């Protein structure tokens, strides 16, 4: 037997060791996860820069790529096409690293595109669930992949999605 039956029921004789909680209780683990998630979100908003570039090889006059750069490393890309003549823009690909996925970086990138090109009406050819949800939140309507601009810029199939 453990000897618990011979102990007094009075609080004077109990040791304080039984009343102290372990140093890493379950609720502290949740707090650490929330803190880690908050630090990643702050890092995504503070440390990620946006750089616009033409796709190498210049596939067309309206094909561009918005690079999401974190400390000299590309952590995401948004591929899009613009026709300034008709004021139409098509998002053909969104690719963001897993580490930055649920931190609002996709919203920030699409908001940056809208701010950079305020007169452009945006639509998208992406159909994957994650990008479809992002575009629905940003109120960017879906468009068929084979719709062509009247000025000759044909939209292509999605480049990358994530």
């Amino acid at each position: 037997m453990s000897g618990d039956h011979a102990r007094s029921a009075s609080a004077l004789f109990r040791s304080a060791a039984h009343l102290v909680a372990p140093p890493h209780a379950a609720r502290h683990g949740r707090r650490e996860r929330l803190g880690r998630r908050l630090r990643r979100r702050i890092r995504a908003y503070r440390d990620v820069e946006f750089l616009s570039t033409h796709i190498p090889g210049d596939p067309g006059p309206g094909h561009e790529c918005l690079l999401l750069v974190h400390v000299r490393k590309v952590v995401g890309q948004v591929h899009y096409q613009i026709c300034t003549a008709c004021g139409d823009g098509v998002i053909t690909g969104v690719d963001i690293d897993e580490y930055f996925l649920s931190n609002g970086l996709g919203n920030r990138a699409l908001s940056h595109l809208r701010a950079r090109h305020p007169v452009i009406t945006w639509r998208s050819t992406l159909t994957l669930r994650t990008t479809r949800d992002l575009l629905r939140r940003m109120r960017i309507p879906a468009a068929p992949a084979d719709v062509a601009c009247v000025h000759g810029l044909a939209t292509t199939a999605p480049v990358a999605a994530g």
Side-chain angles (χ1 to χ4, degrees):
M1 291 201 110
S2 66
D4 287 337
H5 66 285
R7 294 198 179 167
S8 171
S10 171
L12 293 173
F13 297 105
R14 287 190 196 147
S15 67
H18 294 288
L19 302 176
V20 176
H24 299 290
R27 65 180 167 195
H28 296 293
R30 274 186 258 129
R31 201 174 293 153
E32 284 178 11
R33 274 187 270 143
L34 288 175
R36 189 176 311 139
R37 205 167 145 201
L38 180 63
R39 281 191 301 275
R40 274 194 294 179
R41 189 174 199 99
I42 290 171
R43 191 174 300 132
Y45 273 81
R46 185 187 60 196
D47 298 339
V48 174
E49 298 178 46
F50 298 114
L51 302 173
S52 184
T53 180
H54 287 281
I55 297 174
D58 198 31
H63 298 261
E64 295 189 29
C65 180
L66 179 70
L67 298 176
L68 313 171
V69 181
H70 178 257
V71 190
R72 297 183 300 170
K73 179 183 175 193
V74 176
V75 296
Q77 299 178 1
V78 178
H79 295 272
Y80 60 98
Q81 300 172 11
I82 292 180
C83 177
T84 55
C86 66
D88 195 23
V90 180
I91 298 171
T92 57
V94 176
D95 185 26
I96 299 175
D97 283 357
E98 280 187 41
Y99 183 77
F100 289 100
L101 260 184
S102 61
N103 296 319
L105 191 57
N107 290 348
R108 186 171 170 228
L110 295 180
S111 295
H112 178 80
L113 277 180
R114 281 185 167 165
R116 187 174 181 158
H117 306 285
V119 295
I120 301 293
T121 303
W122 292 98
R123 56 191 173 90
S124 173
T125 59
L126 301 176
T127 58
L128 292 178
R129 190 184 75 161
T130 53
T131 53
R132 191 176 57 226
D133 292 344
L134 168 67
L135 295 167
R136 186 179 304 133
R137 279 193 310 270
M138 295 298 294
R139 295 185 179 166
I140 297 176
D146 59 347
V147 174
C149 175
V150 282
H151 299 99
L153 292 177
T155 59
T156 58
V159 175

